[in-house]
Amino acid sequence: MTERPVFTLERQFSAPRDLVWKTWTQADLFARWYGPNVDTILHTFDIQPGGSILLEMRWDGGSKHERIEITELDAPHQIRWLQSAVDENWHIAPMPQMPDWPRVLDTRITLTDTEDGTHLTLTWTPHNATQAELDCFRMALAGLDKGWGAGMEVLAELLQSLQAETA
């Protein structure tokens, strides 16, 4: 049996942890940064263990649906969820452009106070994946920072804007 591949992203934000937490747990703020360069439509946003987020990302002529199932919540330190690409009826479905992409990803977001603000650590791991899914994820590891990284840039701008509003 091969070891499960893990994607880890770390970012430092010049914002207090409580504010960073809000951008992950308040629907209006989450929709402003999640899915950079697309319109993120939240169909359901229930942030609690057992709750879910059903979202749609729309762009010119296309859309993608995701289902996020909250498995752990330790405010304002950590959120853990199972994330899946889904069809328009919210059933787990293969991604058309990557049929071997893992059906379910275990996502953990941890926020830690630092002298300069908040350190974010995000890990993404295939959950109950087939060997083909593990291999696909492993091959994509080097490029995963592009999507999440772009989201983190939008998040940093949002945090800066929110802090300017309250200053």
Side-chain angles (χ1 to χ4, degrees), residues 9 19-20 62 66 74 89 112 144-145 152 158:
L9 175 135
L19 184 58
V20 178
E66 283 187 16
D74 179 17
N89 296 312
T112 308
L144 293 180
D145 191 49
M152 293 300 111
L158 174 60

Side-chain angles (χ1 to χ4, degrees), residues 40-46 51-56 65-69 84 86 89-91:
T40 299
I41 294 90
L42 299 174
H43 295 268
T44 301
F45 195 85
D46 182 14
S52 63
I53 302 170
L54 302 177
L55 64 92
E56 181 180 357
H65 294 76
E66 283 187 16
R67 183 172 78 196
I68 294 171
E69 298 171 15
S84 306
V86 294
N89 296 312
W90 309 109
H91 299 120

Side-chain angles (χ1 to χ4, degrees), residues 85-159:
V86 294
D87 62 23
E88 60 278 352
N89 296 312
W90 309 109
H91 299 120
I92 295 175
M95 288 179 49
Q97 58 277 53
M98 291 181 76
D100 285 331
W101 184 251
R103 300 297 188 267
V104 181
L105 290 158
D106 185 353
T107 308
R108 182 186 307 254
I109 300 96
T110 305
L111 304 176
T112 308
D113 287 325
T114 65
E115 277 185 36
D116 300 330
T118 304
H119 183 82
L120 177 142
T121 304
L122 179 145
T123 59
W124 221 20
T125 310
H127 179 74
N128 293 335
T130 66
Q131 189 60 52
E133 291 172 343
L134 293 172
D135 293 343
C136 181
F137 188 82
R138 189 174 285 110
M139 291 185 61
L141 277 173
L144 293 180
D145 191 49
K146 290 178 184 167
W148 276 114
M152 293 300 111
E153 293 303 316
V154 176
L155 179 54
E157 292 170 11
L158 174 60
L159 288 164

